[in-house]
Amino acid sequence: MATTTLKTSALPREFVFNGTRIPDPDPQMSIEQVRDLLTPSYPEIATATMTGPEDTGTSLRLFLLQSHRFERLSHASV
């Protein structure tokens, strides 16, 4: 009987904020640590809502939605 070897690898995280793709600064960091690191460059991230991850096949994409924008999107679907 033939044996099958499974190979696994972790997909890198990728963050998307306001249409901008932001590579993961450190895969060992928690989501909150990444948020804290990115907030000085993108202040709106401090109150952004996170959705995802979305598996793109090459990365796990996490979306950071601005709070006011998220509210408009959720009200539009009602």
Side-chain angles (χ1 to χ4, degrees):
M1 181 163 100
T3 59
T4 303
T5 304
L6 295 177
K7 186 177 179 182
T8 62
S9 61
L11 291 175
R13 296 182 298 185
E14 176 182 70
F15 298 88
V16 178
F17 178 69
N18 211 16
T20 302
R21 291 182 183 172
I22 305 167
D24 191 351
D26 183 350
Q28 301 302 315
M29 294 174 93
S30 71
I31 299 295
E32 288 305 316
Q33 290 172 319
V34 172
R35 181 190 303 264
D36 292 344
L37 179 71
L38 295 176
T39 296
S41 297
Y42 306 93
E44 298 89 356
I45 285 179
T47 58
T49 301
M50 174 123 12
T51 63
E54 174 186 294
D55 184 349
T56 67
T58 58
S59 69
L60 293 176
R61 190 171 292 161
L62 295 118
F63 294 89
L64 295 154
L65 301 173
Q66 292 177 5
S67 295
H68 68 278
R69 193 168 161 204
F70 179 73
E71 287 173 15
R72 281 186 284 176
L73 289 173
S74 62
H75 289 221
S77 63
V78 174

